[in-house]
Amino acid sequence: MSREHVIGIYQNVLDGKVKRFPNNFFVGEEGKIYMKYMTCYLLEERLSIQVNEIPVKVKASILWSHRLRSPALIYGWNYYDVIDNAYPGCFKPWEFHQVPHKYWYGQEGRNRAIKAVKHVIENELNLSLEEIPSHVNHHFFKNHDLNGAFKIFDHSPFQVIETVYPGLFKPWQFANVPLNCWKDDEFIQETMEYLIFQQLHFSSYEEALLKVRKQHFFDYQLTGLFQMAFSSRLQKVLEWIQLRIKEKNHFLLVSK
């Protein structure tokens, strides 16, 4: 059946000239082609929606209110499946304001979230590994319609990236550090060692005691550490370093 004939039948159904589609109209692969014709006609011609505007403007209610729900049920499709049938490969589910029901649920939803984040990082933004910590933040998920995926990981950019790229990053490299990290002594020590020895390249805690400055925490995006672990006081930082020096000296004394 030609596209014109299919659209003519669809128009009659929409206009109430006939009550339903012909029997067996949506059977098999041919029926899916008819669905494609109808969906494209509905969105582009009848509703005048530009193709690039579909993720923003099209929700399930639009398709279902224009008599596409019953044929979609024949194939077990949700509203995104209907659109993907009409525009294969043009859109990702997470690009839509209304993500398909339960899309992010369970282990399958978690796997989809990982795939979606990786796709945006590698294919849409072409970020290098070094760029990921500075680009993946709360705005990243909002701007790329990944709030549902973000929720799975307790709204923690680090937890998302740790799952997508396990073991490649440290929490303090991200602007939004996981909750309660700055209350963990081991985490504080690991981060301080990273700052003192890897970033500032001090040769010892003794050198750090003389040279560390408040500005260093801001320069290396560790304001959370400075504020939460040391109450925004350099004196507390110096006291922490002094304690590390005492611990080291005690260890050397005992080991002799």
Side-chain angles (χ1 to χ4, degrees), residues 128-137 169 173-175 221:
S128 66
L129 288 175
E130 291 76 15
E131 293 174 311
I132 288 175
S134 60
H135 284 76
V136 178
N137 49 34
F169 301 95
Q173 293 176 272
F174 293 80
Q221 299 181 336

Side-chain angles (χ1 to χ4, degrees), residues 20-214:
R20 58 185 180 83
F21 294 100
N23 291 334
N24 301 318
F25 189 66
F26 297 104
V27 172
E29 293 303 312
E30 193 172 44
K32 294 179 182 179
I33 295 173
Y34 297 167
M35 279 287 286
K36 176 177 180 175
Y37 293 157
M38 291 160 52
T39 305
C40 292
Y41 161 76
L42 170 66
L43 300 181
E44 297 178 44
E45 298 180 43
R46 194 167 182 108
L47 300 179
S48 299
I49 297 174
Q50 298 292 321
V51 173
N52 65 333
E53 296 178 323
I54 288 175
V56 177
K57 293 188 174 181
V58 177
K59 296 182 179 181
S61 58
I62 289 178
L63 302 182
W64 302 161
S65 65
H66 288 86
R67 303 295 297 275
L68 291 182
R69 184 167 195 170
S70 294
L73 290 174
I74 293 174
Y75 307 112
W77 287 350
N78 57 44
Y79 90 97
Y80 170 76
D81 295 326
V82 174
I83 293 172
D84 191 51
N85 176 68
Y87 304 93
C90 288
F91 309 107
K92 300 296 183 184
W94 59 84
E95 294 179 293
F96 290 78
H97 283 186
Q98 180 187 15
V99 178
H101 183 54
K102 294 187 177 182
Y103 187 77
W104 302 117
Y105 282 25
Q107 186 59 47
E108 187 175 359
R110 187 180 180 88
N111 293 338
R112 286 170 174 162
I114 294 169
K115 183 178 179 181
V117 171
K118 193 169 186 178
H119 172 83
V120 172
I121 289 174
E122 297 181 3
N123 300 105
E124 294 187 20
L125 300 180
N126 295 313
L127 297 178
S128 66
L129 288 175
E130 291 76 15
E131 293 174 311
I132 288 175
S134 60
H135 284 76
V136 178
N137 49 34
H138 288 80
H139 298 294
F140 169 89
F141 295 94
K142 181 178 180 180
N143 294 340
H144 296 282
D145 300 309
L146 290 170
N147 283 327
F150 197 28
K151 185 177 180 181
I152 292 175
F153 298 94
D154 297 325
H155 298 94
S156 167
F158 171 72
Q159 287 187 25
V160 177
I161 296 304
E162 173 64 14
T163 304
V164 178
Y165 304 100
L168 295 185
F169 301 95
K170 297 293 185 181
W172 60 79
Q173 293 176 272
F174 293 80
N176 304 104
V177 177
L179 190 65
N180 294 327
C181 276
W182 301 131
K183 296 180 180 180
D184 186 292
D185 291 338
E186 290 186 12
F187 187 80
I188 292 170
Q189 175 148 350
E190 186 178 6
T191 312
M192 284 294 291
E193 289 178 354
Y194 163 80
L195 173 65
I196 290 170
F197 301 117
Q198 295 185 41
Q199 296 300 319
L200 299 176
H201 302 291
F202 295 148
S203 60
S204 64
Y205 278 123
E206 285 79 2
E207 183 181 3
L209 185 64
L210 297 174
K211 295 182 178 180
V212 71
R213 297 293 180 266
K214 174 181 177 179

